[in-house]
Amino acid sequence: MASKTLDTFLNENIKDLKERGLYNEIDPVQGPNGPKIKIDGKTLINLSSNNYLGLATDDRLKEAAKQAVDSHGVGAGAVRTINGTLDLHIDLEKKLAEFKGTEAAISYQSGFNCNMAAISAVMDKNDAILSDELNHASIIDGCRLSKAKIIRVNHSDMEDLRSKAKEAVESGQYNKIMVITDGVFSMDGDVAKLPEIVEIAEEFDLITYVDDAHGSGVFGKGAGTVKHFGLQDKVDFQMGTLSKAIGVIGGYVAGKENLIDWLKVRSRPFLFSTAVSPADAIASTKAIEILMESTDLNEKLWENGNYLKEGLKKLGFDIGNSDTPITPCMIGGESDTQKFSKRLYEEGVYAKSIVFPTVPRGTGRVRNMPSAAHTKEMLDEAIAVYEKVGKEMGLL
Ligand SMILES: *Cc1c(COP(=O)(O)O)cnc(C)c1O
């Protein structure tokens, strides 16, 4: 018989979430996740995907993936360390190292899984990790899994980082100390202060780990935040995802040869979970080749980002302090923010509301992710809808 305890637990908690308006209903997308999407038979301008460069639906990637299915099949067949390492995975890792300007790279099945893998392969219970308070959930979980002492650092507060680093070193309690940060913080679109972080790391001999999930393909003409600041030789872990700007699926760490060699023998998802499919591997390699050959898509992304920002700002919206094309539109209260997003949807714009507990209470925002694939007409239409809904709700 099924567990009554479980049944009660699930029913009570789901009911509670629904009553508090915190139960997230999922909207399946019917067809590709492009600049326009179809949900429930309705076509909407899509301002919510991480497909920054439009590569998720790019014909060159699709063609490469189809060929890989013919030449290599649909699955890798094993974990990387048995015989699931195909030539296509090696090609991808070589390309990643070249792209990131490092000696070597290792790829994983996702960015989330990469953070779970890489942090705990190096850090343990005798270590400490200085972690920005706004770091991504996968960083937080990866740190927890390692059992290292987690020391929360105020967001992008370099004085706080320095004093906590100093305290950790002087305590003499830890074998190794790491500083870990998002390269781009995806809720506000702000960039980490990497030059100062690296300076502090050098002063205290900290291990440096940058998760560039939202920076790679976007910042620094596509090369990411670390390369943008010229810090390839000073950041130990350049972690990234193949699932956002790259448009496919997967995660990776780029770094020195000895680090990558260690991760290949010690990171558990690499040893115990099957490798990404041939089509995924080749499509990611193709995407990186495209980014290395030309900055056209990256330029288009920024042009569109700036266009949307200008348009919303001119209307009188508060769009925060983003350093990237990510464009938050600050609304404030939780229910107002959700209502705003719902009205956008009804008017043909898909932009998700982000509220407490993802962001602090009272700082609810609708987050817009313009991409290189949007046309000016789509952005104009979205801006017109924002104007209509903003006026209707008395925000303008
Ligand atoms: C999205 C994201 C991840 C996870 O990447 P996936 O490839 O989607 O699993 C990790 N870190 C950050 C900062 C992210 O934004």
Side-chain angles (χ1 to χ4, degrees):
M1 200 186 89
S3 161
K4 279 199 201 105
T5 313
L6 174 64
D7 222 34
T8 310
F9 165 81
L10 296 174
N11 291 340
E12 279 180 2
N13 283 290
I14 290 174
K15 183 165 163 269
D16 175 59
L17 285 181
K18 285 190 172 162
E19 278 170 7
R20 290 192 289 144
L22 295 175
Y23 188 82
N24 182 38
E25 300 283 354
I26 290 169
D27 312 314
V29 172
Q30 300 157 324
N33 198 335
K36 284 194 174 185
I37 48 175
K38 202 159 97 183
I39 292 174
D40 244 342
K42 182 181 163 85
T43 300
L44 300 136
I45 295 168
N46 174 19
L47 291 174
S48 280
S49 95
N50 298 316
N51 178 22
Y52 287 110
L53 301 173
L55 289 170
T57 55
D58 189 283
D59 285 337
R60 293 164 289 184
L61 272 66
K62 287 185 349 195
E63 204 43 54
K66 285 178 201 164
Q67 281 175 18
V69 169
D70 285 340
S71 62
H72 288 70
V74 292
V79 303
R80 291 288 305 274
T81 49
I82 308 279
N83 66 359
T85 294
L86 308 178
D87 48 1
L88 301 179
H89 297 113
I90 302 298
D91 294 345
L92 171 61
E93 287 165 343
K94 281 195 181 134
K95 196 51 79 179
L96 280 167
E98 202 185 321
F99 182 47
K100 291 286 158 178
T102 58
E103 288 175 10
I106 178 172
S107 70
Y108 294 92
Q109 301 88 339
S110 80
F112 200 107
N113 150 314
C114 176
N115 278 334
M116 303 299 282
I119 301 168
S120 59
V122 170
M123 305 303 281
D124 65 33
K125 65 179 185 342
N126 300 312
D127 299 328
I129 305 177
L130 296 152
S131 175
D132 190 286
E133 63 179 337
L134 296 189
N135 276 344
H136 188 259
S138 59
I139 297 182
I140 296 169
D141 287 6
C143 291
R144 283 183 184 153
L145 187 65
S146 76
K147 299 197 175 74
K149 165 83 179 165
I150 300 165
I151 303 169
R152 261 169 69 113
V153 178
N154 295 338
H155 177 52
S156 281
D157 180 341
M158 293 302 115
E159 263 176 53
D160 195 44
L161 176 62
R162 183 184 297 276
S163 76
K164 284 175 177 161
K166 187 163 184 282
E167 200 181 320
V169 170
E170 286 173 357
S171 78
Q173 280 182 56
Y174 308 111
N175 289 344
K176 307 192 268 329
I177 305 172
M178 172 185 276
V179 54
I180 191 162
T181 183
D182 278 28
V184 171
F185 292 88
S186 63
M187 294 304 148
D188 293 294
D190 55 319
V191 172
K193 295 174 181 160
L194 293 185
E196 284 147 281
I197 291 173
V198 162
E199 199 185 298
I200 295 168
E202 287 190 326
E203 188 178 336
F204 297 103
D205 191 32
L206 311 176
I207 300 166
T208 44
Y209 189 123
V210 177
D211 174 342
D212 222 7
H214 286 272
S216 196
V218 175
F219 210 67
K221 296 200 192 309
T225 55
V226 173
K227 223 170 166 183
H228 168 78
F229 290 114
L231 298 170
Q232 303 95 290
D233 297 332
K234 306 213 164 162
V235 169
D236 297 300
F237 291 74
Q238 283 194 65
M239 179 268 164
T241 172
L242 301 167
S243 336
K244 290 178 177 145
I246 300 299
V248 192
I249 187 86
Y252 61 88
V253 174
K256 286 185 70 168
E257 190 107 46
N258 58 2
L259 171 65
I260 304 308
D261 286 347
W262 179 251
L263 294 177
K264 284 182 177 166
V265 294
R266 272 294 180 276
S267 48
R268 292 167 70 81
F270 191 84
L271 277 78
F272 298 109
S273 180
T274 300
V276 292
S277 75
D280 293 326
I282 204 168
S284 294
T285 307
K286 186 77 207 168
I288 296 161
E289 275 169 16
I290 292 169
L291 295 195
M292 288 176 74
E293 270 164 24
S294 156
T295 54
D296 287 357
L297 287 175
N298 184 262
E299 280 159 24
K300 186 77 191 160
L301 166 67
W302 282 84
E303 192 185 309
N304 283 345
N306 291 335
Y307 189 79
L308 181 68
K309 279 184 184 163
E310 275 308 306
L312 294 180
K313 207 155 83 183
K314 237 188 257 162
L315 289 176
F317 283 109
D318 172 5
I319 56 163
N321 296 307
S322 173
D323 302 313
T324 62
I326 296 172
T327 307
C329 183
M330 312 306 283
I331 308 292
E334 284 67 46
S335 65
D336 270 357
T337 310
Q338 276 159 344
K339 185 171 164 209
F340 196 94
S341 169
K342 183 160 169 277
R343 284 291 299 127
L344 292 177
Y345 180 95
E346 287 161 359
E347 296 293 332
V349 173
Y350 194 90
K352 274 276 196 192
S353 59
I354 297 181
V355 297
F356 179 81
T358 307
V359 292
R361 220 181 266 285
T363 69
R365 76 276 318 260
V366 173
R367 188 179 56 164
N368 301 284
M369 317 280 271
S371 80
H374 287 94
T375 62
K376 285 277 172 335
E377 291 69 34
M378 292 177 201
L379 297 175
D380 283 335
E381 207 178 314
I383 292 165
V385 168
Y386 260 91
E387 180 172 19
K388 179 171 178 193
V389 175
K391 283 187 173 152
E392 179 188 297
M393 285 186 58
L395 293 165
L396 297 179

